[in-house]
Each structure stands twice: as C-alpha cells, then as structure tokens.
Amino acid sequence: MNTSPWPRYPGILVVALLGLLGCQSPQKKESVFSPEAQESWREDREQLTKLHRSGVCELRWTDEAGRRHFEPQVDCDLWWQPPSAFALQFSKLGETLGWVGGDGTQLWLFDLLSEPTQLTIIEPEAAANTLIFGLPLAGLLDGWQLQPLSAVGPRSPERVQSRLGPATLFATQAGSPPSRLATVDGQLEVLYSDWNVIDRAKDDADGRSAGQWFPERVEWRLQAPEATATFWLRQPRRALEQQRWNRLFDLSRLRRSLRPQKTSVIPEGLDPAGSAKTAGS
C-alpha cells in the first residue's frame, strides 16, 4: 500500500481544516476589479521578468484510505521564466520530495517519494484534470498571477479568463494588486497578501522599472475536493548562475539529475478517469 505523502492526482485529496471564526482577524472589504483595473494589471504582469522565490508551504490532505496527513514546513522553491516556463520544487531536510514544472509545451511531475520513483509527463489538455497536493496543475501560473489574464468579453466585463476557468479578481483598495481570485463556478479561491516589490534580475532589467510585484503569501482553497495549501515565498535561498537556471526547465537534464525509476505519459484527449488511472498506475 502506498502511503506516500506526495499526492499525485485527483484520487488523493487534500482536506482543508479551517480555523475557528473567533480566531480569524476581520476581513477587509473587497471590491471587484473593474475593466480598467484589469487592463492596468495585465500591463503590469506583461512586465514580469524571470524570478526565483524560496520559502515554505503548509499542506493538509487525506489519502484514499481516509487517513489524514499534515505536512508543515515543507521547503519550496519557485522559478519563473517568461513566457511560460516554471519549476516548483518541494523538499524537506535537504531531500527533494517532488518537482513540478513545464516549458510551455509540456508539464511534468517527478514524484520521488513513491516506490518506484516516478516521472509523469502531462500534455497541456490533460493537465486540467491533474492535481498535485490538491492544486490544479493547469492553473498554477494563473494562480500565482505570473501571466496576464485576458478579459472574458463584453458580456462579462468584470471577469477574466484563466486556465482555472472564468474568474473574478478582487482588491481591498483601488490601484492595489489583487487580494483574491475566485472562479465563477465557486470551486477555487486563491488568496494573496503581503505583496512586495522585488528586484529584477540584473540581466533582465532591459530598461524596465526597478522592481516587480509578487505576493509573499498565497493560499489555495479548493471546494470539491476540499483542499488547502499555503505558501510563504520570500528571498531565494541561493542564486543560480545563468547556466544552471536554464537547466531548471530542461526535461532531459532534470531526468538525468532526478533519475526516476518509472516514466508515464498522460496524453491529450483522455477523460478525467483515464488521466487519474494512468497517473496512479
């Protein structure tokens, strides 16, 4: 029986344990992003250059047998390279537990806690049915506000289109970054706080302004299946020279480095049940 705390796909759910209402601080009043605010935010996101943030995350889930798990203080690193390359590493006590990434064409997941260790390559369309620690793999970049979100259209001027589906952006004051993204179907919320202006990489400045906005705290809340994951990402633990940076988004190099014992591919066009079965095999 696999009791790995590395949830791979929709078959293994993350359970959210909400705090008592009496322990929560009063919520600030939010307003919906206007079309003008959306356009301004898109222009801001188009100015993003590569970034690296390090920190910890807190994850809660229950496995297929109904056992609950809680992983506090999981170390994580996020790397982003426009227009759509990213890498997200999970580790503990210096050991890599898993690696999620993509190059804009494919997505991949290294599960290094399973027996045998596994690499799963996911085609873009199939990613919509794939969860990792309860997070929708297809929507990681949109959830972190790393890419501009297009307008849905004139019939819904206050909505944006994301890989998570049509969504609404909220802010606590005019001219500030988003405080929350909520999908129209009510299935997912992503909450943002402690937005900071961080320095750009010296080789990526290109005449742009000195800094770029990034949230220090991001909390994902899924309703069905119920799930939470909270990330606190700040200054990178260590800088990477350009040569090593490029390797982060190179699947062949990652494969040689992480050495998975088993590889599978989830192709486009599979239904959710097919994707889950393939991923968990």
Side-chain angles (χ1 to χ4, degrees), residues 20-224:
L20 295 176
L21 292 177
C23 298
Q24 294 177 342
S25 59
Q27 292 186 347
K28 295 181 179 180
K29 185 177 180 180
E30 292 180 317
S31 59
V32 175
F33 258 43
S34 66
E36 294 75 20
Q38 289 181 29
E39 181 60 30
S40 177
W41 186 240
R42 276 192 288 272
E43 292 175 358
D44 184 280
R45 297 298 85 184
E46 288 170 355
Q47 293 296 309
L48 278 179
T49 59
K50 71 179 186 182
L51 60 83
H52 174 202
R53 307 305 281 168
S54 299
V56 296
C57 58
E58 179 178 289
L59 309 159
R60 300 175 188 264
W61 73 92
T62 185
D63 61 26
E64 291 176 313
R67 291 183 295 266
R68 292 184 176 182
H69 303 269
F70 173 48
E71 280 290 347
Q73 300 294 314
V74 176
D75 295 327
C76 52
D77 283 85
L78 172 67
W79 293 272
W80 162 244
Q81 176 77 59
S84 52
F86 78 100
L88 182 61
Q89 179 186 36
F90 297 91
S91 59
K92 206 161 191 179
L93 300 176
E95 178 185 0
T96 299
L97 308 180
W99 185 291
V100 185
D103 60 3
T105 302
Q106 292 179 317
L107 299 167
W108 46 79
L109 164 63
F110 290 85
D111 178 356
L112 304 179
L113 285 182
S114 63
E115 292 290 344
T117 58
Q118 300 184 47
L119 162 63
T120 304
I121 301 170
I122 306 109
E123 301 296 339
E125 287 186 6
N129 304 315
T130 304
L131 303 180
I132 178 65
F133 277 133
L135 306 182
L137 184 55
L140 283 180
L141 300 183
D142 291 348
W144 254 295
Q145 295 292 317
L146 290 172
Q147 293 180 313
L149 300 177
S150 61
V152 168
R155 293 186 178 181
S156 304
E158 294 182 339
R159 293 179 181 174
V160 294
Q161 185 61 52
S162 76
R163 292 173 183 81
L164 308 168
T168 305
L169 290 171
F170 298 85
T172 56
Q173 62 183 34
S176 66
S179 58
R180 181 165 60 99
L181 178 147
T183 56
V184 173
D185 62 11
Q187 291 301 308
L188 177 70
E189 284 187 316
V190 186
L191 287 72
Y192 312 97
S193 58
D194 301 326
W195 285 88
N196 292 314
V197 177
I198 62 177
D199 292 335
R200 297 182 184 276
K202 292 181 179 179
D203 57 341
D204 267 351
D206 292 335
R208 297 183 176 94
S209 57
Q212 51 191 333
W213 287 103
F214 190 80
E216 185 173 295
R217 184 181 186 275
V218 178
E219 179 181 355
W220 299 69
R221 296 178 181 175
L222 258 67
Q223 300 301 319

Side-chain angles (χ1 to χ4, degrees), residues 256-267:
R256 290 195 294 270
S257 175
L258 298 175
R259 302 176 66 183
Q261 297 167 319
K262 180 180 178 182
T263 299
S264 59
V265 178
I266 303 179

